[in-house]
Amino acid sequence: MHGVGLRYMTGIVKQLGLETSMLVVQQQAQPDPDFPTVRYPNPEENGALDLAMSTAEAADIRLILANDPDADRFAAAENVDGVWHQFTGDQIGVLLAHWLLTVRSPMGKDDVMLTSAVSSQMLSFIGDREGFTVQETLTGFKWLGNAAKDLEKQGKNVHFAYEEALGYMFPSVVHDKDGIAAAMNFLSACRSWGSPWAKLQELYETYGYFVTTNTYWRSPSVMKTQSLFQSLRSREQPFPSLVNHRPVTRWRDLTIGYDSAKENNVPDLPVSDQSQMITCWLSGSDADRYRFTVRASGTEPKIKIYLECRSKDQQSAHKGAVEMLGWLKREWFNDDQLQIEDKFSGV
């Protein structure tokens, strides 16, 4: 997307013998620091793939692949019965993870996949069911890459890592996110799946339906943000027992260094009193499970939230996520000085 990835993307398509099926969006093919066809050159932004979609429709092509300008992130979209479905980072992450599970089975506890603390829990559910290890790190490939190297020194087989912001790492290639390696694995998997969207629905049926929302509140100041987080901590000691009438099953605060699920309440993840980050797990009725993380951005005046509901079907999962976000708006973030932007997606 107005960057450097075309040469390398063309190379992998030729390696896979698919060059006759590839159509390049010429208006976005070459590096251009002004990014004239998009508001932001990030394929996860709304509208970033509009030109690719219109180009694909004109040529009767149903699958779109895209990189950001430096080609370290990867995005995909599929036209299903006339409707474009743009995959989220979490959806691509679980699709790639399950593909690797398929081609590298059997896997055991010494086989590891990594994900960030704010990405979907779906990979962990797959790991629990299929017998391999899933480990969380803080957000960013500094953490994911170094964790992979540490695990490899311990004799573990680290197959894959991802975070929800369209970043995917294949340690056998490089210990960092790589949009070209992600594209090659995705295309290889599509030969087996046929339709990646249909494969995703199959995974939902097997492991449960997950709906996430990643959104944020704009905060007027650092002091306001710190005051808000402190008010959350002081609601009940050592942490709130209920959120929206649902029992809190785990509470992790990486600012003060507390995790209710760990021995001596000491978190596995790094702690820093220079940042604000709280994660809460809730139980619900039947198969419903909730998790949300609130954290202060380190670069912008934002309070970010990553919320997820798992349920027995897509409708129930979406309803649960909507209800939980609405409750948090009313009870935790009901302040005229905060402005929210909503964004919902299936995993």
Side-chain angles (χ1 to χ4, degrees):
M1 186 173 288
H2 295 302
V4 299
L6 179 60
R7 172 185 173 187
Y8 306 100
M9 183 72 81
T10 301
I12 65 164
V13 169
K14 287 182 177 179
Q15 286 184 47
L16 294 170
L18 298 172
E19 61 269 29
T20 59
S21 302
M22 180 178 177
L23 178 64
V24 176
V25 181
Q26 293 298 335
Q27 300 95 317
Q28 297 177 329
Q30 300 304 320
D32 189 332
D34 295 324
F35 312 118
T37 67
V38 291
R39 184 178 179 187
Y40 299 108
N42 183 341
E44 69 178 337
E45 292 288 338
N46 290 333
L49 296 185
D50 286 355
L51 184 56
M53 289 176 181
S54 61
T55 303
E57 287 172 359
D60 196 27
I61 292 173
R62 66 175 179 85
L63 187 64
I64 291 171
L65 308 183
N67 292 125
D68 62 346
D70 60 355
D72 64 351
R73 299 183 189 274
F74 168 72
E78 183 180 5
N79 191 320
V80 181
D81 298 326
V83 177
W84 283 103
H85 296 278
Q86 185 169 341
F87 296 93
T88 68
D90 282 314
Q91 289 172 337
I92 294 175
V94 296
L95 281 167
L96 288 171
H98 196 270
W99 164 248
L100 292 173
L101 171 66
T102 302
V103 298
R104 298 180 182 178
S105 287
M107 287 191 183
K109 290 301 181 182
D110 284 340
D111 294 287
V112 184
M113 298 194 195
L114 301 170
T115 185
S116 75
V118 299
S119 298
S120 173
Q121 299 172 93
M122 189 171 181
L123 181 56
S124 293
F125 275 79
I126 295 173
D128 289 344
R129 179 81 66 87
E130 304 301 339
F132 63 89
T133 299
V134 175
Q135 183 171 312
E136 283 186 349
T137 75
L138 294 182
T139 303
F141 280 86
K142 173 183 75 172
W143 298 103
L144 290 163
N146 284 327
K149 288 185 174 182
D150 290 343
L151 288 164
E152 288 165 352
K153 290 177 182 176
Q154 299 169 29
K156 308 295 185 181
N157 305 310
V158 184
H159 298 272
F160 178 63
Y162 93 92
E163 66 176 13
E164 47 80 32
L166 300 180
Y168 314 96
M169 181 181 84
F170 302 84
S172 61
V173 178
V174 65
H175 289 84
D176 200 354
K177 58 184 180 290
D178 184 342
I180 301 301
M184 186 167 192
N185 278 275
F186 193 81
L187 282 173
S188 297
C190 284
R191 285 177 155 175
S192 174
W193 299 332
S195 164
W197 185 253
K199 182 62 180 182
L200 181 64
Q201 308 316 304
E202 178 187 317
L203 296 183
Y204 286 152
E205 286 291 328
T206 303
Y207 302 106
Y209 286 81
F210 294 73
V211 167
T212 63
T213 178
N214 303 336
T215 189
Y216 61 85
W217 284 266
R218 289 194 177 274
S219 176
S221 68
V222 173
M223 292 297 293
K224 180 67 178 180
T225 299
Q226 291 176 342
S227 174
L228 186 144
F229 274 88
Q230 194 54 43
S231 72
L232 300 183
R233 295 185 180 99
S234 62
R235 285 175 172 266
E236 188 176 342
Q237 295 299 322
F239 58 87
S241 58
L242 297 173
V243 173
N244 193 18
H245 309 296
R246 292 176 171 83
V248 175
T249 59
R250 181 180 175 187
W251 180 275
R252 182 177 67 198
D253 187 334
L254 295 181
T255 304
I256 66 172
Y258 179 88
D259 189 337
S260 64
K262 298 300 179 180
E263 185 177 358
N264 299 322
N265 301 131
V266 178
D268 293 334
L269 296 180
V271 173
S272 173
D273 61 6
Q274 300 302 305
S275 61
Q276 302 285 344
M277 184 171 178
I278 294 173
T279 303
C280 181
W281 288 258
L282 311 172
S283 64
S285 59
D286 300 325
D288 292 354
R289 294 292 183 271
Y290 305 84
R291 185 184 74 169
F292 62 86
T293 295
V294 288
R295 72 179 183 94
S297 170
T299 57
E300 301 172 284
K302 294 178 180 179
I303 300 169
K304 296 186 176 182
I305 184 167
Y306 306 81
L307 186 151
E308 180 173 57
C309 178
R310 175 187 183 270
S311 195
K312 59 187 177 181
D313 56 57
Q314 191 76 16
Q315 182 177 1
S316 298
H318 188 272
K319 180 181 178 182
V322 170
E323 290 178 350
M324 181 56 63
L325 181 60
W327 188 92
L328 290 170
K329 286 180 184 178
R330 294 190 304 271
E331 300 296 327
W332 281 19
F333 300 98
N334 186 14
D335 191 312
D336 292 339
Q337 293 183 303
L338 302 177
Q339 297 179 334
I340 189 171
E341 175 179 305
D342 293 343
K343 181 182 178 182
F344 270 96
S345 63
V347 177

